[in-house]
Amino acid sequence: MPLNRIEILKIPKIKCFCGSNSFTKIYQGTRPFEFLILKCTQCRVCRTLPFPGTKAKDFFIDNKEILNYTLNKFQVKMDRNRFKRDCRMIQTQNTLSPYILDIGCNIGLFASYALEEGLNVFSIDVNTKRIHFAHCAVKRRMCVADANYIPFSKDSFDCVNLSHVLEHLEEPLQALSEIKHVLKSDGLLIINVPNYKGLIPLLRPVSWQGWSPQTHFWHFTPKTLVSLLQRMDFKVTESKLTAMCPPQINNWFKRVIYRVLSGLGERCGMGDNILVVARKV
């Protein structure tokens, strides 16, 4: 829907990373504060208004609820299933002893599982406090770094795992450029991001965790994500919709309904998580 005159007056001179400054409003939220989701009329990628800003990193560092959510037993089990799937994907690419870079590793759950599978994985994250909770074997292969400035030399890795990180980056093109730099020729890139056109955001946009206006700069669909990767000279080999890990909901009835809708969305091709596999060209 087009922006009304009052909303236009409130919006500063904003731009999409494609350079366009023409937007239409697709959603207006009120929790945890008032925010807009605007769709670029040129590249169709959506952005949050207001942008999370410089405090987005601090939100992750100091928020105890996020840490408790990450360490929750059910959440760890759900994440482990997702990481198991991604590891299998890497192992089927016919690369012997691949060197993997896990960007935005949090407490190192993906790295921990990958090491168990015999994969060589190194991890980076902007959050120094999260590294403290990582397993000792994983911690030795972790360092504090930003996705926009990856501290490794050219052609260092066979694979890069970017799981629910791209939407948190103000400059996604810069991050993808850095990933291209450290990836070997024909190297593998695995990306997971929320899909705002999934079943749950369609039926229950108010309760959908994928908006996260405190920390999410950008919002994607499979088409816009594939287009972005192709723009950065990646060849997309696989794209599918899956279910995001459900949030922690205290009400058991709402929790069951959410999980049923999440599973239904995945089965009918309207999952709220986008999984894309691409190769460096």
Side-chain angles (χ1 to χ4, degrees):
M1 66 187 78
L3 298 171
N4 62 44
R5 186 163 178 261
I6 296 176
E7 290 167 344
I8 291 174
L9 292 175
K10 287 181 179 180
I11 297 176
K13 296 292 183 179
I14 59 173
K15 281 189 175 183
C16 179
F17 55 72
C18 72
S20 171
N21 60 357
S22 176
F23 297 90
T24 57
K25 181 179 75 173
I26 66 163
Y27 181 68
Q28 182 169 355
T30 57
R31 294 189 305 180
F33 49 79
E34 291 188 7
F35 66 94
L36 295 176
I37 303 296
L38 307 177
K39 181 167 68 175
C40 173
T41 58
Q42 181 169 305
C43 72
R44 320 299 285 179
V45 170
C46 294
R47 61 159 286 166
T48 306
L49 185 73
F51 250 13
T54 56
K55 293 184 178 181
K57 291 180 183 178
D58 297 334
F59 179 84
F60 275 100
I61 292 173
D62 298 325
N63 196 311
K64 292 182 179 179
E65 288 185 10
I66 291 180
L67 179 59
N68 293 334
Y69 175 71
T70 304
L71 297 175
N72 179 270
K73 290 182 179 180
F74 175 77
Q75 184 64 31
V76 169
K77 182 180 179 181
M78 293 290 291
D79 283 338
R80 188 176 179 84
N81 292 335
R82 176 162 53 92
F83 297 149
K84 184 178 181 179
R85 176 202 64 199
D86 294 346
C87 283
R88 277 201 306 264
M89 201 172 296
I90 295 169
Q91 291 168 325
T92 58
Q93 301 303 314
N94 300 321
T95 302
L96 296 175
S97 302
Y99 280 87
I100 305 164
L101 177 63
D102 183 27
I103 299 177
C105 63
N106 205 323
I107 63 172
L109 293 178
F110 171 81
S112 179
Y113 184 81
L115 287 174
E116 290 177 14
E117 292 294 300
L119 298 173
N120 295 309
V121 60
F122 299 85
S123 308
I124 64 172
D125 199 286
V126 295
N127 194 330
T128 56
K129 293 184 179 180
R130 294 292 183 269
I131 293 178
H132 171 74
F133 291 92
H135 188 273
C136 292
V138 175
K139 196 180 296 184
R140 289 194 292 268
R141 292 166 173 253
M142 297 173 74
C143 69
V144 179
D146 195 305
N148 290 325
Y149 305 97
I150 301 175
F152 294 100
S153 58
K154 186 178 180 181
D155 301 336
S156 298
F157 296 96
D158 301 287
C159 175
V160 170
N161 183 52
L162 196 68
S163 184
H164 287 278
V165 175
L166 195 65
E167 66 271 25
H168 295 280
L169 304 177
E170 185 174 357
E171 300 291 342
L173 298 183
Q174 169 67 20
L176 290 174
S177 179
E178 285 286 292
I179 289 170
K180 276 182 62 180
H181 179 76
V182 300
L183 261 181
K184 294 179 181 178
S185 179
D186 202 39
L188 196 69
L189 172 61
I190 298 177
I191 295 184
N192 284 277
V193 296
N195 172 33
Y196 73 84
K197 283 196 172 181
L199 183 63
I200 289 181
L202 177 67
L203 298 179
R204 290 291 298 164
V206 174
S207 60
W208 188 53
Q209 59 181 334
W211 298 127
S212 189
Q214 309 99 313
T215 61
H216 287 187
F217 289 87
W218 306 101
H219 306 271
F220 300 93
T221 63
K223 188 175 180 178
T224 58
L225 181 58
V226 168
S227 178
L228 173 60
L229 291 172
Q230 290 173 340
R231 173 181 173 180
M232 296 301 295
D233 295 326
F234 284 95
K235 180 182 178 181
V236 175
T237 60
E238 185 177 354
S239 174
K240 62 181 181 180
L241 295 173
T242 62
M244 274 208 308
C245 293
Q248 291 183 29
I249 302 173
N250 293 328
N251 185 298
W252 70 269
F253 181 74
K254 290 182 178 180
R255 187 165 61 244
V256 170
I257 294 297
Y258 194 100
R259 290 174 184 170
V260 168
L261 289 176
S262 182
L264 180 62
E266 182 173 7
R267 287 178 177 82
C268 69
M270 293 186 66
D272 58 345
N273 179 78
I274 308 168
L275 168 63
V276 168
V277 181
R279 286 192 177 275
K280 172 183 172 181
V281 178

